[in-house]
Amino acid sequence: MTPTKTRAAIAGVYEHPTRFAPDKSEWLLMAEACRGAIQDAGLRPEQIDAFFTSATAPEGGWLGACASVMAADYLNIHPRFIDETDVGGASFGYYVNRAVMGIEAGLFKCALIAYGATTKSLGVNVGTVRYDDLTGQRISPMPDAFEQVYGTTVTSFMGLLTQRYMHDYGLTSEQLAHVAVTMREHAALNPDAAHRKPLTVEDVLSSPVIASPLHKFDCCIISDGAAALLVVHRDLLPECAKPPVWLAGFGESIMHHEGGLGDWAAESREMVRRACRQAFDMAGVGPADIDTAMIYDAFTVNVVIDLEGAGFCGVGDGGAFVADGQLKLDGGSLPTNPDGGGLSSNHPGRRGIFLFVEATRQLRGEADGRQVPGAETAMCTATGAAFLARRGSAAHILTR
Amino acid sequence: MLTADPTYWPQPEVSGETRPFWEACGRGEFLLQRCDGCGKFQYPYRGFCCHCWAGQPRDVPSTGRGTVWSYSVVRRNRSRDTAPSRTSSWSSSWRRASGSSPT
Ligand SMILES: [Zn+2]
């Protein structure tokens, strides 16, 4: 089926090619990405009337409280609407949602969504330190005191989830390894990707365990990076340089601990399902209508859970789906993350924005060397975290 | 690089709300709470019932028995002050075990 469209479309995108930029600031990387996106759209900076960005501190830079005002000052733009909703790496999906809502409500017409971080240059061990060590703060009474005292890291939280998902649904480490291998195959086709050397299932399984059962290659890489998007009202499209990529549907959902009574493993999938159902219903399409997917692969297990939550396969079938090669550009039924994803291309702390850049390139037919032939409709799913089970998902249907 | 302090363990901040929990820990008790209105349990410890917002949570010392819901052995922890684990057999300063859910 053909998706119904909102009045909002992506008119410009830019992904900074750098993966390591010790001589630049996160601010400058973001500005260069904004310049790239406005040039890609064929618009002018003074047309920007809404601005969305994410704090990067402490995991990828210095941009902290009041991030959107601080960054607007640096960029010298004058948006009448700002937002910096924080859902970790999924934040950028939430910004797209808020941009579409604001455009539909008539509040603004040209929304800039931007991000830059120098996580690698700063040497931040995002996934392998305690949160109090990452932030330099003490362990807050609620709720960190009940969790961080055990020496938890981001990777350990995901290890707990993965272990339970394996227990409940029969997922295996070998199946997860196929996600990492496929992302690396795709990265080999992307000249900007950070890691392009071929990887085997055996390589993944024999790599060091970071937090069991997650191996090194189950975890996203750490890079510097930046990107920007322009989401515009359809009234502006005649001025734009390139054909639009329409926002057809979007959804979002959060999960948490349910007062200590929740099933963290099942709820991780059901949260994605709620977000995806909203997006599918709004666009009037289903999983079978999606030509290519961008799935936030912070860890290999995220891909499996999102596939099951979105309905690309049944509950408990995600492991077999990825091991069967369904994510591959070469012959898969759902070519996923053709750019190599966070597992191989880039991951500067919060990766959600890059999903939209690659989806736009794919739907425009600009993804040289890794183009999904004839891609007309794409899906983006992202899950971001506050810590432990406090997380949020965003889902989007894009169409040309 | 800072030298790990072998006696260090991250210490929680304690608020008025959570002090009873930590004082109970000092007595060797692990407190759950049960609401006198809706009857539901909650954890972590807090000053109101998050299920019904109406009843009063009462302290319920756990029996000490439970079922491990999941676990992860953390083999890489680069926190600058990470010390040897008290809760696992790992001896190297960057190894420790974490995380069973207190159900
Ligand atoms: Zn109650």
Side-chain angles (χ1 to χ4, degrees):
Chain A
M1 281 191 293
T2 305
T4 56
K5 298 164 182 170
T6 68
R7 280 183 280 265
I10 296 175
V13 296
Y14 188 81
E15 175 185 337
H16 205 296
T18 192
R19 300 296 186 264
F20 184 59
D23 297 332
K24 294 186 178 182
S25 69
E26 63 184 305
W27 306 73
L28 180 55
L29 291 184
M30 176 197 280
E32 290 175 352
C34 293
R35 181 173 60 197
I38 204 90
Q39 287 174 353
D40 184 57
L43 297 171
R44 301 181 313 282
E46 56 269 28
Q47 291 176 280
I48 295 162
D49 54 4
F51 179 57
F52 303 79
T53 195
S54 163
T56 58
E59 82 278 7
W62 305 100
L63 182 57
C66 306
S68 50
V69 174
M70 297 298 286
D73 169 64
Y74 178 80
L75 296 168
N76 194 25
I77 55 174
H78 301 88
R80 75 177 84 140
F81 187 100
I82 58 166
D83 184 46
E84 59 203 70
T85 299
D86 191 345
V87 201
S91 299
F92 302 93
Y94 282 64
Y95 302 156
V96 170
N97 296 356
R98 279 141 189 73
V100 177
M101 288 188 275
I103 286 168
E104 289 279 350
L107 299 174
F108 49 81
K109 288 194 171 176
C110 185
L112 173 66
I113 300 172
Y115 174 65
T118 48
T119 316
K120 187 174 179 69
S121 295
L122 291 172
V124 182
N125 293 309
V126 179
T128 51
V129 293
R130 285 195 325 273
Y131 192 61
D132 61 300
D133 190 67
L134 193 63
T135 60
Q137 293 170 347
R138 299 163 79 177
I139 299 179
S140 68
M142 179 64 67
D144 292 356
F146 295 92
E147 298 158 9
Q148 305 288 334
V149 292
Y150 302 108
T152 44
T153 65
V154 171
T155 314
S156 78
F157 298 151
M158 293 305 293
L160 290 171
L161 169 61
T162 308
Q163 189 71 258
R164 184 68 195 193
Y165 218 83
M166 289 175 163
H167 174 269
D168 287 351
Y169 303 104
L171 179 67
T172 69
S173 288
E174 187 178 351
Q175 290 171 333
L176 289 177
H178 281 273
V179 177
V181 169
T182 299
M183 293 309 106
R184 187 59 62 90
E185 285 174 11
H186 293 174
L189 306 171
N190 176 3
D192 291 333
H195 296 277
R196 305 177 68 200
K197 188 168 148 257
L199 196 65
T200 66
V201 168
E202 199 45 48
D203 292 336
V204 178
L205 297 178
S206 62
S207 65
V209 171
I210 305 300
S212 70
L214 296 171
H215 300 81
K216 173 182 170 182
F217 290 120
D218 286 303
C219 307
C220 62
I221 65 165
I222 294 174
S223 72
D224 296 346
L229 313 173
L230 284 159
V231 180
V232 307
H233 192 286
R234 64 184 178 195
D235 289 353
L236 283 184
L237 291 174
E239 297 179 48
C240 292
K242 292 191 175 170
V245 168
W246 295 96
L247 272 307
F250 62 83
E252 60 186 58
S253 183
I254 68 161
M255 64 178 280
H256 53 60
H257 291 260
E258 311 283 348
L261 306 180
D263 178 346
W264 180 9
E267 179 61 7
S268 293
R269 180 190 62 247
E270 295 308 306
M271 167 181 65
V272 175
R273 189 185 308 284
R274 290 191 294 272
C276 290
R277 182 171 295 149
Q278 185 187 337
F280 280 131
D281 287 351
M282 192 183 299
V285 298
D289 299 304
I290 304 302
D291 300 315
T292 179
M294 310 302 146
I295 300 180
Y296 190 165
D297 52 343
F299 298 90
T300 50
V301 69
N302 292 108
V303 176
V304 169
I305 289 174
D306 280 20
L307 289 166
E308 295 182 8
F312 291 114
C313 60
V315 171
D317 296 337
F321 189 88
V322 300
D324 197 33
Q326 301 301 333
L327 307 183
K328 289 178 186 285
L329 263 173
D330 184 10
S333 61
L334 185 72
T336 296
N337 299 346
D339 64 349
L343 289 166
S344 284
S345 177
N346 63 345
H347 197 296
R350 301 184 165 200
R351 191 172 190 276
I353 193 168
F354 299 99
L355 308 179
F356 296 92
V357 179
E358 179 67 3
T360 299
R361 287 188 292 233
Q362 290 289 338
L363 295 176
R364 286 175 174 175
E366 290 180 344
D368 292 338
R370 59 177 193 275
Q371 179 65 45
V372 176
E376 292 186 358
T377 303
M379 182 158 202
C380 301
T381 66
T383 291
F387 279 91
L388 222 59
R390 305 173 194 92
R391 305 194 294 152
S393 278
H396 297 80
I397 314 289
L398 293 84
T399 191
R400 67 183 191 191
Chain B
M1 186 175 163
L2 298 174
T3 306
D5 171 1
T7 64
Y8 179 81
W9 191 258
Q11 294 298 307
E13 291 294 313
V14 177
S15 66
E17 180 186 14
T18 61
R19 182 164 290 112
F21 176 87
W22 297 109
E23 287 178 351
C25 286
R27 299 191 301 268
E29 284 183 356
F30 186 92
L31 289 188
L32 301 174
Q33 293 169 296
R34 188 172 195 182
C35 176
D36 66 8
C38 70
K40 288 185 176 169
F41 283 93
Q42 71 178 12
Y43 181 87
Y45 198 89
R46 64 197 92 179
F48 78 112
C49 173
C50 73
H51 299 293
C52 70
W53 291 11
Q56 186 61 38
R58 305 293 180 193
D59 292 352
V60 182
S62 67
T63 62
R65 287 177 287 119
T67 303
V68 174
W69 185 80
S70 189
Y71 67 96
S72 178
V73 180
V74 182
R75 302 249 182 184
R76 184 169 299 176
N77 189 328
R78 288 173 165 163
S79 305
R80 57 180 175 264
D81 50 12
T82 297
S85 169
R86 292 180 187 175
T87 57
S88 80
S89 61
W90 302 107
S91 56
S92 170
S93 66
W94 45 270
R95 290 177 177 177
R96 72 173 26 147
S98 81
S100 60
S101 149
T103 52

